[in-house]
Amino acid sequence: MESGDMISARQAFFHEGQLPSAAVRQPVLRSWLRCSDLGLAEQRPPALQPLTDSELRLLHQRHDALRRLCRPELEMLAGEARDTMSVAILTDGDGMILDTIGDAGFASRAAAVALRPGVSWKEASTGTNAIGTALAERRAIAVNGAEHFFPDHRVLSCAATPITDPRGALIGALDLTGPSSHGHGHALGLIRLAVDQIEHRLFRRHFQDCRLLRFHSDPAMLGTSREGILVFREERLVAGNRRGLSLAGLSWDALDDALFETILTVDGATREGLRLRLPSGATALGQWDADHALPRAGDLDLGARSAPEPGAATMEAREAEAIGAALAANGGNVSRAARQLGIHRSTIHRYRKRGLV
């Protein structure tokens, strides 16, 4: 049942043009504002047409590597979903649903509001919802009942986390959705844990000519999905996971700019690994991954670049050429070009500032 505060908040926002900042969580309010700016109207939900069977097959083929990568976690969440009358959902980086698995009865009800494979759940298509809002905010989020933009979606309680590759590009999202009449307070924690495991496995892929550092302030976390990971080409930071960047006090914008010596200080070595001092002053134990450079079959294309051969164009020139081509192919849209190349948007902005693209 909706609270009186939420009913009043929706009335104030959708019908009186006021900002109900006290009653609505800030990520939800930001989403409502984005959806309104996109021209969406609460009482005019868009007619969503799922992909045809042949189009869905092509979509699955295009994202086969992502689906295989996420399958263990999707199967794990499916058991939880069946126990709580919910469905687990995998989308691509644009919010297009690839797979749903879980309670068959609720899946049928969800399909009635277009929560099914072959339908886009980005905010521009379906308003405020956990999948689209998690991708827009680049963070884990739950959206419950009347927090959804469109009234038809009030029957849903959703929790989603974006899946980020080692270069900071969004490659998908994982979601757990059930009826809003049931409590799903544990869903966000489960989704976060599942995505941590997925992103951790991405670092089994090779990074040519790079060194991969695994570290954590708690040595017991090394080798688990909770460890921090930073990848260096020579001394320059070129990739990492969210945990590693957080421990080092960095954001994705540090990629391609930050140097090892400005991030970490080596205070010595033990039999267990390197003693590291973090920018915060805290200490950590680190280990260089000696096996990271081995190529493996079926890898996702993570945008790794090999070193130029003698006589070939420089790495910088080749990357500038690739960025220019991706921008042209995506009508100048930086986010889409970054996703295509598997790089972070900040890399494209740096090349633009320098006049290289």
Side-chain angles (χ1 to χ4, degrees):
M1 180 179 295
E2 296 176 12
S3 69
D5 287 345
M6 182 55 68
I7 293 172
S8 298
R10 291 188 68 89
Q11 175 68 25
F13 182 87
F14 291 108
H15 303 287
E16 299 170 9
Q18 300 177 19
L19 294 180
S21 56
V24 182
R25 292 182 298 133
Q26 286 302 301
V28 172
L29 183 57
R30 286 194 299 268
S31 177
W32 285 4
L33 290 167
R34 284 193 299 269
C35 293
S36 296
D37 288 343
L38 288 168
L40 300 182
E42 179 204 22
Q43 297 301 327
R44 295 198 307 273
L48 299 173
Q49 295 297 326
L51 299 179
T52 64
D53 289 345
S54 59
E55 290 170 334
L56 184 58
R57 282 195 296 272
L58 289 174
L59 180 72
H60 282 166
Q61 291 172 9
R62 188 160 65 248
H63 293 292
D64 180 64
L66 175 64
R67 295 175 72 214
R68 285 187 286 107
L69 175 73
C70 299
R71 196 67 192 179
E73 283 68 34
L74 203 59
E75 293 284 357
M76 178 272 293
L77 290 170
E80 175 67 23
R82 283 188 284 267
D83 290 341
T84 56
M85 295 189 299
S86 307
V87 290
I89 299 168
L90 173 67
T91 81
D92 67 10
D94 283 322
M96 181 69 76
I97 295 179
L98 302 174
D99 295 297
T100 62
I101 186 170
D103 182 77
F106 181 74
S108 298
R109 293 171 56 194
V113 291
L115 193 64
R116 54 181 290 189
V119 177
S120 172
W121 274 69
K122 62 183 179 181
E123 287 183 337
S125 301
T126 47
T128 304
N129 70 89
I131 293 168
T133 304
L135 290 171
E137 296 264 328
R138 295 181 64 93
R139 53 172 285 187
I141 189 167
V143 176
N144 302 307
E147 290 181 327
H148 289 85
F149 191 86
F150 291 116
D152 286 352
H153 299 155
R154 296 184 195 183
V155 298
L156 304 175
S157 178
C158 316
T161 297
I163 304 168
T164 306
D165 80 359
R167 291 281 294 172
L170 295 173
I171 59 173
L174 206 57
D175 172 273
L176 195 61
T177 290
S180 58
S181 56
H182 290 57
H184 300 277
H186 62 291
L188 197 57
L190 285 175
I191 291 293
R192 281 174 167 155
L193 177 60
V195 170
D196 278 348
Q197 293 170 339
I198 291 168
E199 292 179 346
H200 189 257
R201 284 203 303 279
L202 284 170
F203 288 89
R204 295 179 184 175
R205 277 66 187 171
H206 69 285
F207 293 86
Q208 194 168 2
D209 302 325
C210 294
R211 297 185 300 160
L212 190 151
L213 179 69
R214 302 177 184 274
F215 68 107
H216 203 282
S217 54
D218 180 355
M221 294 295 104
L222 290 177
T224 75
S225 62
R226 305 291 289 175
E227 69 184 355
I229 298 176
L230 296 177
V231 181
F232 296 88
R233 178 173 285 120
E234 296 180 349
E235 296 301 310
R236 193 172 300 276
L237 179 67
V238 295
N241 67 355
R242 283 180 276 199
R243 183 80 52 188
L245 293 170
S246 176
L247 287 170
L250 301 173
S251 71
W252 295 110
D253 291 338
L255 298 187
D256 302 325
D257 277 349
L259 301 176
F260 181 91
E261 63 183 12
T262 65
I263 302 171
L264 301 166
T265 301
V266 179
D267 282 341
T270 68
R271 293 178 61 182
E272 290 76 27
L274 299 174
R275 291 196 304 270
L276 302 173
R277 186 153 27 92
L278 307 178
S280 65
T283 59
L285 184 71
Q287 297 173 348
W288 290 111
D289 189 340
D291 193 37
H292 72 276
L294 297 177
R296 301 169 190 248
D299 285 350
L300 287 171
D301 180 5
L302 301 178
R305 304 286 190 269
S306 59
E309 297 178 1
T314 65
M315 174 74 72
E316 184 175 75
R318 289 197 299 151
E319 289 187 342
E321 182 180 359
I323 289 171
L327 285 170
N330 289 280
N333 187 298
V334 173
S335 295
R336 291 177 184 169
R339 282 196 296 270
Q340 177 181 321
L341 293 170
I343 62 177
H344 192 259
R345 295 188 307 275
S346 62
T347 302
I348 297 180
H349 290 310
R350 281 194 292 274
Y351 272 75
R352 278 183 159 177
K353 283 182 180 179
R354 295 169 62 192
L356 297 174
V357 294

